[in-house]
């Protein structure tokens, strides 16, 4: 495969499974990891020809916080029974997850060069547990993740284990009725080992999320469903960390919902909050602009 | 092998009327057992043996026979309310953490309403889950088309790696449930069951192996392939055909596993008999009959006749009368067999 400009611009990557022993990153390192994540996504999308830029960039800080500070995982043993679980329910932003898993040491860095490029490659538009170590659940069809998270959290309770389950949902995704079925069951079974995060970037494929399907006062809605809810700037890592990193089985008997207010396309001026960048082709000129804009971590 | 509890034959039928009377008398001599009662008993017994066994249901704990299990093991009985998509997702999540999780609801809702969760959460993710579809076929005949289920096998069969089972009676249901639990692959299983009283004819020592059809009766003239409640009707028909003046020897194959189907049994029958008659309580589109034809689609020149639900909404009515009205009964199997063998014309 020919080396594209996208690949040569790729920053140095830690070798596969060499990230252990893991020490949670400092705030400065987390911001740098978020920057690297956006560059990785851009490179993958450049090689593929197009991609879900908006949705991928809106959840970068959330995944960075999870994989490089909060979650108890072991890249050398991705199926470790006592690990924290993460379900990337808004599956179409997969490159953000791939970058996190690769930089954390779950998957070989070379896989990033093959995103969507050929038949049979390991990385495709939506994450897959079949092909990708570290992916707990294959996703892509929206509205599935929270139910699976409920099942995992229930199993944790039954087995008296202290792992936590994190589910990242898109704000458009929660239009799906199955999400609210899951919300009810999580409250019924008092799953305080379950943390859901809504990536509230406010844009769907067809326009403003509130125009496509008004979800109203989201925090109050989840509260009414029996969840402990929080609202936070989803790009503010220092604000995200304490909300995500709650005690395991904290004992307040409520599942935890974090509404993370984010900006679709965050970090790239011409993509921010622009509907068309939900999924689009990036030209070489635009690519150069993106890489230039992503020279420094977001503050 | 013949059916157990054979009653003495009072008359040897020689006419079609006598044949039907003989079938009715024979049918009435067998015990009936509600499918949901058997499922509940089997599940409770297995729960003691397998501590990881967990049941998930969608407000059908009572209707699927799980009350005793729920009382004995409340922490292992999850009821998600009337929410089948969540039912299947939760079941997959439990399985991913090592539970032997079983989703139990009516087949119609499991196979249609929650089918994307079945495909993605269970099958694509490689989860070993047991999806119990109760009240399948016409076993809830008075429920009408919302509860009658004649698409489930076709839908489930199309999903890669899915195992599809349709046991014939209470004894076989018990064995099938154990086989599901002991099945080693990380793949979902759809277990298709009835609901109310069904005839029970299998001996308790009957073997059950996923993917291996059971030859209940031997014969070289014709082979009847059936599963679920239709196996009993096929056996009645085969016995009647042997007795009636025509002396037709019919092989009866209990094809309890629709997928992966036992190709060898079908190919063996195709080499020996003059015709294959498939009987299923399901649409003729995509069910057992289609699966049999898929085995025979390359150069096997043998007539295949399918008895099933045609491409129209069946009427509403009590299970056995409804089955009979649609030809899903021994009496019609006898007629269709004779047609296939050119003994009569319709």
């Amino acid at each position: 495969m020919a080396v594209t400009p996208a690949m040569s611009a790729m920053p140095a990557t830690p070798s596969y499974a060499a990230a252990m022993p893991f020490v949670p990153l400092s705030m400065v390192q987390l911001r740098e990891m978020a920057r690297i994540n956006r560059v990785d996504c851009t490179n993958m999308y450049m090689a593929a020809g197009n991609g879900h830029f908006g949705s991928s960039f809106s959840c970068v800080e959330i995944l960075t916080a999870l994989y490089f500070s909060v979650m108890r995982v072991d890249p050398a043993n991705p199926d470790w029974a006592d690990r924290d679980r993460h379900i990337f329910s808004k599956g179409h932003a997969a490159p953000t997850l791939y970058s996190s898993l690769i930089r954390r040491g779950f998957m070989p860095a070379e896989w990033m060069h093959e995103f969507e490029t050929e038949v049979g490659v390991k990385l495709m538009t939506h994450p897959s547990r079949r092909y990708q170590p570290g992916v707990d659940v294959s996703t892509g069809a929206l509205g599935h993740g929270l139910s699976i998270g409920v099942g995992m959290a229930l199993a944790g309770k039954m087995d008296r284990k202290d792992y936590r389950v994190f589910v990242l949902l898109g704000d458009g995704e929660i239009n799906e009725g199955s999400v609210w079925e899951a919300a009810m069951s999580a409250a019924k079974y008092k799953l305080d080992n379950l943390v859901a995060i809504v990536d509230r970037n406010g844009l769907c494929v067809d326009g403003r999320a509130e125009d496509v399907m008004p979800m109203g006062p989201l925090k109050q809605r989840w509260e009414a469903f029996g969840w402990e809810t929080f609202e936070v700037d989803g790009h503010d890592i220092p604000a995200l960390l304490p909300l995500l990193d709650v005690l395991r089985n904290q004992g307040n008997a409520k599942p935890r919902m974090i509404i993370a207010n984010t900006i679709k396309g965050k970090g790239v001026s011409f993509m921010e909050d622009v509907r068309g960048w939900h999924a689009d082709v990036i030209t070489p000129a635009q690519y150069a602009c993106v890489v230039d804009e992503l020279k420094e971590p977001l503050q | 092998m013949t059916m157990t509890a054979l009653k003495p034959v009072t008359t040897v039928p020689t006419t079609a009327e006598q044949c039907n009377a003989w079938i009715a008398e024979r049918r009435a001599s067998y015990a009936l057992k509600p499918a949901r009662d058997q499922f509940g008993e089997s599940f409770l017994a297995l729960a003691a043996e397998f501590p990881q066994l967990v049941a998930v249901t969608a407000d059908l704990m009572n209707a699927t026979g799980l009350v005793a299990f729920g009382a004995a093991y409340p922490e292992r009985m999850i009821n998600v309310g009337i929410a089948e998509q969540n039912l299947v997702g939760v079941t997959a999540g439990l399985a991913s953490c090592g539970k032997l999780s079983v989703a139990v609801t009516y087949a119609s809702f499991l196979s249609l309403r929650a089918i994307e969760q079945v495909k993605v959460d269970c099958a694509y993710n490689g989860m070993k889950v047991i999806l119990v579809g109760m009240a399948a076929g016409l076993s809830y005949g008075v429920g009408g088309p919302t509860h009658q289920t004649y698409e489930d096998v076709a839908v489930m069969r199309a999903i890669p790696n899915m195992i599809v089972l349709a046991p014939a009676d209470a004894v076989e249901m018990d064995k099938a449930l154990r086989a599901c639990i002991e099945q080693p692959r990380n793949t979902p299983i759809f277990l298709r069951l009835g609901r109310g009283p069904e005839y029970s004819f299998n001996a308790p020592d009957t073997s059950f192996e996923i993917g291996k059809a059971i030859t209940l009766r031997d014969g070289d003239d014709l082979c009847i392939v059936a599963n679920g409640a239709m196996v009993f009707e096929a056996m009645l028909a085969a016995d009647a055909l042997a007795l009636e003046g025509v002396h037709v020897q019919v092989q009866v194959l209990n094809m309890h596993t629709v997928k992966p189907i036992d190709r060898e049994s079908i190919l063996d029958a195709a080499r020996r008999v003059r015709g294959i008659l498939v009987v299923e309580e399901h649409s003729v589109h995509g069910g057992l009959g289609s699966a049999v034809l898929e085995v025979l689609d390359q150069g096997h020149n043998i007539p295949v006749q399918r008895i099933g639900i045609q491409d129209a909404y069946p009427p509403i009515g009590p299970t056995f009368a409804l089955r009979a009205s649609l030809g899903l009964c021994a009496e019609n199997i006898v007629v269709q067999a004779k047609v296939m063998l050119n003994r009569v014309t319709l």
Side-chain angles (χ1 to χ4, degrees):
Chain A
M1 204 174 112
V3 175
T4 64
M7 291 173 195
S8 58
M10 211 172 267
T13 311
S15 64
Y16 178 50
M20 295 299 287
F22 178 72
V23 178
L25 301 191
S26 70
M27 208 57 73
V28 171
Q29 289 171 316
L30 285 169
R31 288 206 180 93
E32 171 60 9
M33 191 55 78
R35 185 191 75 81
I36 290 171
N37 193 308
R38 286 193 168 87
V39 175
D40 286 346
C41 289
T42 308
N43 287 333
M44 281 186 260
Y45 285 149
M46 183 69 199
N50 71 71
H52 294 99
F53 289 92
S55 189
S56 296
F57 288 173
S58 69
C59 63
V60 165
E61 280 76 17
I62 298 165
L63 261 64
T64 301
L66 284 174
Y67 279 97
F68 295 93
S69 182
V70 174
M71 280 174 62
R72 182 175 71 186
V73 289
D74 179 3
N77 185 11
D79 296 327
W80 177 31
D82 292 334
R83 73 188 184 281
D84 288 338
R85 271 80 172 165
H86 168 228
I87 303 171
F88 194 68
S89 195
K90 48 169 280 180
H92 55 280
T96 309
L97 177 63
Y98 297 155
S99 171
S100 300
L101 290 171
I102 287 170
R103 301 285 170 181
R104 187 70 172 77
F106 280 96
M107 303 192 281
E110 307 82 68
W111 287 9
M112 233 184 306
H113 302 303
E114 300 170 2
F115 173 72
E116 287 187 1
T117 50
E118 289 172 55
V119 173
V121 294
K122 299 287 190 187
L123 304 187
M124 65 285 263
T125 309
H126 305 99
S128 172
R129 166 184 148 103
R130 297 179 87 84
Y131 309 111
Q132 299 150 6
V135 172
D136 286 320
V137 178
S138 310
T139 50
L142 296 175
H144 291 225
L146 196 55
S147 293
I148 302 174
V150 167
M152 289 174 163
L154 275 167
K157 292 281 182 190
M158 289 175 190
D159 292 339
R160 310 268 193 277
K161 286 182 179 279
D162 70 347
Y163 63 75
R164 297 168 297 177
V165 182
F166 298 92
V167 182
L168 180 64
L169 300 152
D171 59 346
E173 176 181 10
I174 62 174
N175 293 171
E176 293 276 11
S178 52
V179 172
W180 300 94
E181 295 180 2
M184 287 185 276
S185 59
K188 172 185 171 182
Y189 286 103
K190 304 185 184 343
L191 300 178
D192 54 9
N193 51 351
L194 176 68
V195 180
I197 308 126
V198 169
D199 179 6
R200 185 75 161 135
N201 62 37
L203 279 178
C204 287
V205 178
D206 281 348
R208 294 269 149 215
E210 279 302 306
D211 294 335
V212 172
M213 180 47 65
M215 298 304 287
L218 212 47
K219 189 166 180 290
Q220 290 90 321
R221 281 199 168 182
W222 283 91
E223 263 165 12
F225 273 74
W227 288 57
E228 185 183 19
T229 60
F230 304 87
E231 202 161 353
V232 67
D233 175 350
H235 300 300
D236 184 350
I237 296 177
L240 277 167
L241 285 180
L243 290 183
L244 290 168
D245 200 12
V246 290
L247 290 174
R248 293 179 170 82
N249 291 310
Q250 55 181 326
N252 73 348
K254 281 187 176 184
R256 172 171 277 224
M257 162 55 73
I258 299 167
I259 295 161
N261 293 311
T262 59
I263 296 168
K264 210 156 176 170
K266 175 72 175 179
V268 178
S269 56
F270 63 90
M271 290 182 179
E272 285 193 359
D273 204 32
V274 175
R275 188 196 67 82
W277 282 102
H278 171 83
D280 207 349
V281 177
I282 184 169
T283 66
Q286 286 169 326
Y287 172 79
C289 287
V290 174
V291 171
D292 188 54
E293 286 202 35
L294 294 177
K295 273 194 292 207
E296 301 291 334
L298 303 180
Q299 291 302 314
Chain B
M1 192 191 299
T2 56
M3 292 192 281
T4 56
L6 265 173
K7 300 286 164 145
V9 176
T10 50
T11 55
V12 176
T14 53
T15 67
E17 290 73 25
Q18 287 173 342
C19 176
N20 286 350
W22 183 86
I23 287 172
E25 186 184 337
R26 189 81 197 290
R27 187 187 281 125
S29 72
Y30 284 88
L32 286 156
K33 178 152 194 182
R36 56 186 165 204
D37 291 359
Q38 181 61 53
F39 176 76
E41 286 170 30
S42 297
F43 200 87
L44 182 61
L46 288 160
E49 192 177 337
F50 297 93
Q52 296 298 309
L53 198 61
V54 174
V56 192
T57 189
D59 191 38
L60 287 182
M61 192 172 81
N62 280 283
T64 58
L66 285 169
V67 172
F69 168 77
Y73 304 98
E75 75 286 2
R76 288 158 64 183
M77 176 79 241
I78 305 297
N79 194 336
V80 299
I82 305 163
E84 287 78 15
Q85 297 177 79
N86 192 39
L87 165 78
V88 176
V90 167
T91 305
L94 283 160
S96 84
C97 294
K99 295 294 172 193
L100 274 167
S101 55
V102 187
V104 191
T105 187
Y106 284 173
S108 182
F109 315 137
L110 195 53
S111 66
L112 297 173
R113 186 151 198 152
I115 194 61
E116 195 185 67
Q117 277 77 10
V118 170
K119 171 191 164 182
V120 177
D121 304 358
C122 299
Y124 177 47
N125 271 310
M127 300 297 180
K128 182 185 166 179
V129 295
I130 304 168
L131 306 166
V132 177
M134 206 171 276
L138 302 171
S139 64
Y140 195 173
V142 291
T146 58
H147 285 61
Q148 297 168 357
T149 315
Y150 23 75
E151 319 86 343
D152 54 333
V153 173
V155 169
M156 289 291 185
R157 218 163 62 82
I159 293 175
N161 298 320
M162 181 70 71
I163 294 171
V164 180
L165 305 180
D169 73 348
V171 172
E172 193 164 271
M173 180 207 293
D174 182 70
K175 292 176 188 301
L177 192 56
R178 175 177 288 278
C180 290
I181 290 168
E182 293 177 344
Q183 191 277 129
R185 290 168 52 202
N186 283 328
T187 191
I189 305 178
F190 177 60
L191 182 59
R192 184 181 210 245
L193 303 179
R195 175 175 175 264
E198 301 282 1
Y199 290 103
S200 196
F201 64 92
N202 269 301
D205 60 351
T206 311
S207 66
F208 185 94
E209 187 185 337
I210 292 174
K212 187 76 192 140
I214 298 168
T215 299
L216 288 169
R217 196 181 193 290
D218 277 322
D220 287 335
D221 294 317
L222 191 76
C223 174
I224 304 177
V225 182
N227 62 15
M230 291 302 103
V231 178
F232 178 72
E233 298 297 323
M235 286 295 284
L236 293 180
D239 286 352
L241 282 161
L243 281 171
E244 201 186 346
V246 288
H247 301 299
V248 172
Q249 293 307 316
V250 177
Q251 180 191 16
V252 176
L253 270 182
N254 172 7
M255 196 62 71
H256 52 65
T257 306
V258 184
K259 187 186 173 193
I261 199 154
D262 185 347
R263 296 176 55 87
E264 282 313 307
S265 291
I266 296 166
L267 292 171
D268 174 67
R271 282 189 287 269
R272 292 186 301 102
V273 302
R274 290 152 57 198
I276 294 177
L277 188 54
V278 186
V279 194
E280 60 185 318
E281 197 179 346
H282 184 275
S283 168
V284 292
H285 300 286
L288 177 64
S290 301
V292 168
L293 285 170
E294 285 160 19
V295 175
L296 298 172
D297 63 1
Q298 288 181 343
H300 298 279
N301 190 19
I302 181 164
V304 177
Q305 173 71 34
R306 287 178 285 166
I307 301 176
I309 297 168
Q310 301 303 314
D311 193 21
Y313 289 106
I316 294 154
T319 301
F320 290 101
L322 185 53
R323 284 176 182 156
S325 77
L326 296 167
L328 296 164
C329 58
E331 292 85 344
N332 183 49
I333 296 170
V334 167
V335 173
Q336 298 301 327
K338 286 196 241 173
V339 171
M340 277 200 94
L341 295 166
N342 296 317
R343 297 296 177 97
V344 296
T345 52
L346 284 180

